[in-house]
Amino acid sequence: QVQLVESGGGLVQAGGSLRLSCAASGRTFSSYAMAWFRQAPGKEREFVAAISWSGGSTYYAHSVKGRFTISRDNAKNTVYLQMNSLKPEDTAVYYCAAREEYGSMRYYEYDYWGQGTQVTVSS
């Protein structure tokens, strides 16, 4: 089992920045690929970014590429999402997720989830 707890959400103006954190506990964090997803009201949960267990590989949704950066610190059992140049359409609840294999953009293929953190971007 892996327990995930997100933090760092909040209200920010368009063009601003936030950094989300996801702290993991339980089984060996470095064994898991990690990802961030988001869900806006009335919409399906969508993929944002993923990172391999070592941190050596990452990929992003087209909508955030060049603005968001995913990273991890295995010594701290934490994964981050640095979000820059935020837009109102980035408003959503952001979730971190874990699975053993790297490379999926499908939320239903992830085994462990945090409770989510709200990000609101005002125009």
Side-chain angles (χ1 to χ4, degrees):
Q1 286 280 355
V2 176
Q3 293 79 43
L4 303 172
V5 179
E6 301 96 335
S7 61
L11 173 64
V12 64
Q13 288 188 335
S17 298
L18 281 174
R19 189 176 82 154
L20 306 183
S21 299
C22 173
S25 60
R27 296 185 64 180
T28 307
F29 173 71
S30 59
S31 299
Y32 289 86
M34 301 296 296
W36 288 94
F37 289 79
R38 66 187 182 186
Q39 189 166 19
K43 295 188 176 181
E44 192 169 279
R45 191 166 297 191
E46 66 170 349
F47 171 81
V48 175
I51 189 166
S52 62
W53 65 269
S54 68
S57 296
T58 59
Y59 61 98
Y60 299 88
H62 178 75
S63 59
V64 307
K65 196 169 185 178
R67 300 188 297 123
F68 290 12
T69 302
I70 189 171
S71 61
R72 67 190 296 162
D73 185 338
N74 286 343
K76 295 182 178 180
N77 286 0
T78 303
V79 63
Y80 305 97
L81 185 69
Q82 177 67 45
M83 304 185 295
N84 298 328
S85 302
L86 283 160
K87 305 175 181 180
E89 50 265 43
D90 294 318
T91 295
V93 177
Y94 283 70
Y95 298 90
C96 68
R99 69 189 298 260
E100 291 188 359
E101 294 183 21
Y102 171 69
S104 174
M105 299 171 60
R106 303 178 183 88
Y107 67 88
Y108 50 83
E109 293 186 344
Y110 283 78
D111 300 309
Y112 304 102
W113 291 86
Q115 83 290 348
T117 186
Q118 176 71 47
V119 171
T120 303
V121 184
S122 63
S123 57

